[in-house]
Amino acid sequence: ALSGSAKSNPQLSLCLVPGMMLHFFLLISAAALDEHEAALKQDSECTSAECTLSALQLNSAATTADLNADVAVDVDGDFSNSSSDFPLYGYHHWATTTMYGDAPRSACGGIDTHRLVQGTRYHNVASAQSMWRNCNGNGACWCGQAGGGSGTTGMGCLSCAKGRFLRSAYGQKGKALYSLAQEESEDESEDPFMSEEIIVVVGDLCPHPGNEDWCPNRAGLKNAYGSFNHLDFSHYPNSVPHSRSIPNKNFVFSRIDCPGDLKQRYYSMSHCR
């Protein structure tokens, strides 16, 4: 309420009222934002169009923040938010790799992984179960979303990434577990990349049972080659020689939103929703 002196002084009233109106507007705006955030966090319905728009914007910002939460890469290519000293060359993560062929009915809604990427520039991968959310210890997962955490990168069904194969192989060991010979070292001045940049999509699961050396059981664990992440490719790109044997090259990557045409393909084939 205005004081008696303010009521008797019209000029003073004109000076105070706009200030009070601004304060009132700020209080209302803050309350509205709290409503929008609460609705989003509780996964409840908004009561106004403004709330719906704000919820969509907040959700979009959260998704972008998740994809970009690990963008701190120094000039040497090392991920500064990780204890790993593995060179990333400007990308955000790294993984060991294997190659398994195609699955006619994969863990991502029963899709045919060959048909998913047939005739496109994309490459199907099966990600380690540790990279999926709430994947059972026995690897019996279906339509798993991106999980990860504690050093492990989350990549579940219909997660995409851009990346390149390196000349180095077998993670930080540099050789197969049961090999007596060390892999030939590359000249440090040589281009570290073996492939062009490619886009990969997770269309299947690499379960821990049967793949104990490569695919960790849960997030936060490394595989036998010192990597938190593992990607099992249906097929390596032609730039990575693999006709005589599987080279198990290391792969550096950054997560991206999946391209629209790939999403359309995926949802037309998958029972995941």
Side-chain angles (χ1 to χ4, degrees):
L2 294 177
S3 65
S5 60
K7 289 180 180 178
S8 61
N9 189 335
Q11 293 183 344
L12 181 58
S13 299
L14 291 174
C15 291
L16 290 179
V17 170
M20 294 178 63
M21 291 178 63
L22 176 60
H23 180 66
F24 178 74
F25 175 76
L26 292 176
L27 288 175
I28 294 297
S29 299
L33 182 58
D34 290 341
E35 175 197 351
H36 304 168
E37 291 182 340
L40 181 61
K41 291 178 181 178
Q42 296 171 9
D43 196 24
S44 62
E45 293 185 359
C46 290
T47 58
S48 66
E50 291 80 3
C51 176
T52 302
L53 177 59
S54 295
L56 289 172
Q57 291 172 335
L58 287 168
N59 185 60
S60 176
T63 302
T64 302
D66 178 59
L67 288 174
N68 297 325
D70 41 15
V71 298
V73 179
D74 65 25
V75 293
D76 294 323
D78 292 332
F79 178 32
S80 60
N81 290 341
S82 170
S83 59
S84 172
D85 57 357
F86 194 91
L88 299 175
Y89 305 104
Y91 290 93
H92 301 158
H93 314 282
W94 73 280
T96 49
T97 71
T98 46
M99 192 176 78
Y100 77 108
D102 284 299
R105 183 174 171 79
S106 79
C108 289
I111 62 174
D112 182 327
T113 58
H114 172 70
R115 289 181 56 218
L116 177 63
V117 298
Q118 184 179 18
T120 72
R121 58 194 175 100
Y122 310 122
H123 294 264
N124 176 74
V125 297
S127 57
Q129 72 174 57
S130 57
M131 302 169 78
W132 288 38
R133 181 183 300 172
N134 300 326
C135 192
N136 298 325
N138 59 7
C141 304
W142 182 258
C143 296
Q145 296 179 337
S150 301
T152 302
T153 305
M155 287 192 71
C157 291
L158 194 60
S159 292
C160 291
K162 61 181 181 180
R164 300 179 72 175
F165 280 93
L166 301 178
R167 296 184 183 276
S168 64
Y170 295 103
Q172 294 184 324
K173 287 187 175 296
K175 63 177 182 179
L177 290 180
Y178 310 106
S179 173
L180 298 178
Q182 184 77 19
E183 292 290 313
E184 292 184 7
S185 60
E186 301 288 345
D187 186 343
E188 292 185 359
S189 64
E190 187 176 1
D191 182 358
F193 298 114
M194 174 163 277
S195 76
E196 70 283 5
E197 185 172 89
I198 62 174
I199 293 178
V200 301
V201 55
V202 176
D204 203 357
L205 170 75
C206 180
H208 179 69
N211 302 285
E212 290 84 357
D213 290 342
W214 294 106
C215 299
N217 186 37
R218 63 180 185 275
L221 297 181
K222 294 182 179 181
N223 63 20
Y225 295 94
S227 177
F228 286 111
N229 309 308
H230 183 77
L231 300 176
D232 198 5
F233 280 72
S234 286
H235 304 281
Y236 282 153
N238 293 333
S239 52
V240 180
H242 55 275
S243 59
R244 298 179 59 184
S245 63
I246 306 302
N248 301 115
K249 295 297 183 179
N250 298 320
F251 187 73
V252 288
F253 65 97
S254 297
R255 296 175 298 175
I256 61 171
D257 190 27
C258 289
D261 61 332
L262 182 54
K263 288 181 180 180
Q264 185 175 7
R265 268 180 173 251
Y266 176 89
Y267 285 122
S268 68
M269 300 177 186
S270 174
H271 295 289
C272 298
R273 291 295 181 267

